Amino acid sequence: MDRIRNARHFAPRLQRWLAEKAEAQQEAPPPAAAPSSPFPVPAPAAVNLLRPPVQLRRPEPTNPPLSGDQDKRQLLVGEYILEYVLKRSTRRSIGFTVDDTGLYVTAPKRCSLADIDNAIRAKQHWILSKLDERRQRRAARLEKPPIVWDDGAKLPYLGEEITLRLYQAPRNRTEFDPVARELSMGLVQGATEQLLKERVKNWYKAQAEGLFQQRLDLYAARLGVQYAGFSLSSADTRWGSCTAQRTIRLNWKLMHFSLPLVDYVVAHELAHILEMNHSPRFWANVGRIYPQYEEAKQLLRKRAAELPPLFT
């Protein structure tokens, strides 16, 4: 009986509470409809979702340690003191390589230092001109304004431009629309510019892996050679290399250039499997599978000098 009396006592209160709740729900605005698209809408270009990177003190640049078969030397050539790195190998002749870090000389193990110095002096005009050319190209690149990493930034990709789209997302995600030529980057709240750069760099490398494998297989079959393997490099301006073990290294930054220039570097490195030098026979092998190699070589230099600094 006590339970019945309690129920009759609280029933009117319960009815009034339910009625008040129903009125409050009717007065409240309806919840916003979920977007029909399964992807987040990119933020307007004026909104930069990146937190300004912390200005950390960068370590002083240091030269990579030399391996046991390398020696850093100096030689007086005319009025210049020429520094170079000497590397001993099993090759039969003395070879010269010039890149942004300087001159590299590769010589047979039996070759005396006097013979190496004489070879450098005999080649001094070519060496000095190449070193000066590298210096000028590097200075020209550094003068170009770096890319501003905001929504709408333009990035070089296979000889054309793609647009970087940034938007806030609950987790990091990357998508490329080849039709719209847009690289969309979903960024978590508080993402830094450095994080964005690393993600864009990783996207370039992923694209390079697939494309380089395809082009290597194509041109190796045309040349009639087999390569042992390949990997990506991040050298400053050296686009490729081939070892005596037939291992190819290709610079992922080649993805900035058009496909014919990528093919030229691929054909160049594969031809080194037959000739580990730049003799007329080497260039004849390159010409068998890539007849326009001279034009491509000059255009690659031109395009490399035109690129703005991306990942400084």
Side-chain angles (χ1 to χ4, degrees), residues 23-94:
E23 290 178 2
Q25 289 178 343
Q26 290 177 357
E27 294 174 358
S36 57
S37 171
F39 303 105
V41 178
V47 178
N48 184 6
L49 297 173
L50 298 178
R51 186 177 59 200
V54 178
Q55 297 298 321
L56 299 178
R57 180 179 179 274
R58 294 180 178 272
E60 294 297 325
T62 57
N63 294 324
L66 300 178
S67 61
D69 59 349
Q70 291 184 341
D71 181 22
K72 195 166 186 178
R73 302 184 59 81
Q74 291 183 342
L75 177 66
L76 181 63
V77 179
E79 58 183 8
Y80 300 99
I81 297 178
L82 185 63
E83 289 190 347
Y84 66 95
V85 174
L86 174 62
K87 180 180 180 180
R88 298 289 187 169
S89 76
T90 57
R91 61 177 293 155
R92 298 178 180 178
S93 59
I94 300 174

Side-chain angles (χ1 to χ4, degrees), residues 75 113-123:
L75 177 66
L113 292 177
D115 290 338
I116 295 171
D117 290 347
N118 289 334
I120 293 174
R121 290 192 175 97
K123 199 82 171 178

